[in-house]
Amino acid sequence: AQSVTQLGSHVSVSEGALVLLRCNYSSSVPPYLFWYVQYPNQGLQLLLKYTTGATLVKGINGFEAEFKKSETSFHLTKPSAHMSDAAEYFCAVSDLGIVQGAQKLVFGQGTRLTINP
Amino acid sequence: DGGITQSPKYLFRKEGQNVTLSCEQNLNHDAMYWYRQDPGQGLRLIYYSQIVNDFQKGDIAEGYSVSREKKESFPLTVTSAQKNPTAFYLCASSIRRGRGRTGANVLTFGAGSRLTVL
């Protein structure tokens, strides 16, 4: 079964500093990987996804993530943090191989990002 | 605008009462999902439905029930059998993935319903 581990439940960076949120996964099949962002008392919004092809994936709001198969990682980065980036971030892996049907996701525990002025 | 509407946004319930959370989508998606979110535990899948009149248990289905009588609607009932129902509940939808690895279908989420049991 697939699983996701996000290293660090809380990450704090200064405005303008590099953001690095770590995600490691386990999967018995080549994975589909996702990063979602959640603002307080709201649903989740997709930041970016990896399916196949280029291992460096660019998303919205200046975020990007790199799929590293050898390290089973999909870390999320942003070169320069902005106050509006403060939110909770979730890494997720798909739970299906080549079976037709619903896209079940397995989520990590989440990382709360705080931006210091 | 297309999207997912969850209601109510906040709900209080006394112990022993059943409560139903509404989820409606106008995205013409076949698949719908219910997730439960607790602090520090991420999201856990309760139930999902691939098509009308069909639904499957997720990882934590005990104490919950669902129905899928219409494509647009996937209500979740939290029954009195659910031991710890206080949580944030998120509904999502997606298109059905076609046969083979044709690409990931992105889940679209509603804004959530926060249930508190008094």
Side-chain angles (χ1 to χ4, degrees):
Chain A
Q2 280 82 355
S3 67
V4 175
T5 300
Q6 292 184 237
L7 301 177
S9 58
H10 291 88
V11 170
S12 182
V13 301
S14 298
E15 191 174 18
L18 171 71
V19 175
L20 171 61
L21 304 183
R22 299 178 187 274
C23 173
N24 288 89
Y25 70 91
S26 68
S27 177
S28 57
V29 298
Y32 292 158
L33 295 159
F34 306 80
W35 275 99
Y36 282 85
V37 61
Q38 183 182 36
Y39 298 100
N41 292 312
Q42 293 187 26
L44 275 67
Q45 178 183 4
L46 180 71
L47 275 178
L48 48 80
K49 65 179 181 181
Y50 168 78
T51 54
T52 59
T55 56
L56 182 63
V57 180
K58 296 186 182 299
I60 62 172
N61 301 337
F63 284 93
E64 61 183 34
E66 186 171 12
F67 170 61
K68 293 187 176 181
K69 183 178 179 180
S70 61
E71 298 177 8
T72 61
S73 69
F74 190 57
H75 302 330
L76 182 70
T77 61
K78 181 174 181 177
S80 177
H82 191 272
M83 295 299 291
S84 61
D85 295 327
E88 189 152 21
Y89 292 80
F90 293 93
C91 182
V93 63
S94 65
D95 196 36
L96 286 177
I98 57 173
V99 175
Q100 182 177 7
Q103 181 83 66
K104 292 167 56 184
L105 295 183
V106 176
F107 286 85
Q109 306 93 316
T111 297
R112 184 167 300 279
L113 177 63
T114 301
I115 311 297
N116 301 314
Chain B
D1 287 339
I4 298 180
T5 301
Q6 290 188 240
S7 62
K9 189 167 180 64
Y10 299 96
L11 184 62
F12 297 89
R13 187 195 94 175
K14 293 182 179 179
E15 280 193 30
Q17 290 181 335
N18 292 352
V19 62
T20 297
L21 307 180
S22 171
C23 178
E24 302 278 334
Q25 56 100 356
N26 61 3
L27 300 166
N28 199 32
H29 285 170
D30 286 301
M32 297 187 74
Y33 316 77
W34 274 105
Y35 283 89
R36 170 181 170 139
Q37 184 178 10
D38 296 282
Q41 296 192 48
L43 280 72
R44 293 178 290 169
L45 184 64
I46 304 173
Y47 269 97
Y48 67 101
S49 168
Q50 300 183 52
I51 199 167
V52 174
N53 293 322
D54 173 77
F55 49 84
Q56 310 293 330
K57 292 182 179 180
D59 301 318
I60 56 166
E62 185 175 353
Y64 299 97
S65 66
V66 294
S67 63
R68 187 84 188 278
E69 297 177 359
K70 298 187 301 182
K71 185 176 184 177
E72 302 80 18
S73 179
F74 191 41
L76 173 74
T77 297
V78 185
T79 76
S80 57
Q82 169 49 233
K83 298 302 181 187
N84 186 20
T86 294
F88 190 52
Y89 291 88
L90 287 160
C91 179
S93 69
S94 74
I95 62 176
R96 291 182 72 196
R97 186 164 62 172
R99 191 170 300 276
R101 294 179 62 81
T102 57
N105 297 331
V106 174
L107 267 64
T108 300
F109 284 84
S113 292
R114 186 169 299 280
L115 172 63
T116 302
V117 174
L118 305 174

